[in-house]
Amino acid sequence: MDTLIVYGGRYGTTERYADELARLLGTAAVPYVTVDDVSLVTADVIVYLGAVFAGGMPGLKRTMARLVRATERIRRSPRDDDPVAEASRRPRVIVVTVGLGDPAIPGNAEHLRAVVDGQLPPAVAAHVECFHLRGGIDYAALSPKHRAMMWMMWQHEKRVPEDEWTDDTRMFNETYGGAVDMVDFATLRPVLDAIAGSGDAGADGIMDVGTANDRIVDGGPADCGTANDRIAGNGMTDKGTTDGGTGDDGPSPAED
């Protein structure tokens, strides 16, 4: 079985998870900016690891669109000299988010899945398997723009009465300005099981991973929703993206 591991990250945590997963599988992890169409279409399983913030994941939308286009091109006009002419089906797709917010908190996992589905073509979203891993943040490593975005979020979160704090809110307020690393390679086990076809988490892939999600909400704290949604959906993700984008193209604070 040919498993292709693709990742999008900026500050390092997503890449760490991707490299460890690749090591365990005896393969290599590829940044989404360098993966080619042949690899996408001929893989049996594509595992995409990326930070979640600002309503998207860096490179995910772009990569899956390429997969669909390449597959449709082959089906429409197969050629004997086409290196992927034998491809007759789309690969299984597994998406792994990396962040800080705890998907075990009610609503967080559903929010994460909606963010992931929003980046995928319908043909892919209908069948994608999704898992969530915890990342980290180091404020000293953030770009000025990302540091400013986190400061805006903190201005809102610090005003939340302490008796209304969730675990996510507490973590954010108590670690703001410092560094936290929640990477746990043991939480890759459900992903490995899914790749092998032995996972039983279904389409949501939460199982007992003890994971996280994170994005920076579009428009900043003003439209953040609940405290859980702000942190489960607000930029404390996996320390960054290869293209520094919001989803595929915009700014991102530390996510992995």
Side-chain angles (χ1 to χ4, degrees), residues 13 28-29 75 77 112 119 121 164-165 175 184 191 234 256:
T13 303
R75 289 174 176 171
S77 306
L112 256 186
Q119 301 298 297
E164 296 179 13
W165 286 6
T175 62
D184 182 358
V191 182
N234 245 306
D256 66 27

Side-chain angles (χ1 to χ4, degrees), residues 61-79:
K61 183 176 182 179
R62 188 179 309 173
T63 303
M64 292 300 107
R66 287 176 54 199
L67 170 63
V68 171
R69 286 196 301 270
T71 304
E72 291 175 348
R73 174 182 60 79
I74 294 164
R75 289 174 176 171
R76 284 196 311 268
S77 306
R79 303 193 314 267

Side-chain angles (χ1 to χ4, degrees), residues 90-201:
R90 192 166 292 138
R92 285 177 60 205
V93 176
I94 298 172
V95 175
V96 182
T97 68
V98 183
L100 288 183
D102 186 353
I105 293 176
N108 281 3
E110 292 80 2
H111 175 76
L112 256 186
R113 181 57 192 251
V115 169
V116 172
D117 286 349
Q119 301 298 297
L120 303 175
V124 177
H127 303 287
V128 72
E129 301 158 74
C130 194
F131 296 84
H132 316 300
L133 306 180
R134 307 198 80 158
I137 188 168
D138 181 355
Y139 285 83
L142 298 184
S143 69
K145 179 182 290 186
H146 297 166
R147 193 175 297 117
M149 294 172 75
M150 298 307 290
W151 179 85
M152 290 174 63
M153 179 180 171
W154 180 60
Q155 292 304 300
H156 189 285
E157 293 302 308
K158 70 180 182 178
R159 296 186 178 93
V160 176
E162 189 166 354
D163 61 359
E164 296 179 13
W165 286 6
T166 64
D167 289 343
D168 279 351
T169 310
R170 184 174 302 280
M171 178 182 62
F172 178 71
N173 284 335
E174 292 181 351
T175 62
Y176 175 77
V180 59
D181 187 346
M182 303 179 72
V183 171
D184 182 358
F185 290 151
T187 61
L188 286 168
R189 172 50 55 188
V191 182
L192 288 165
D193 289 345
I195 293 169
S198 61
D200 59 0

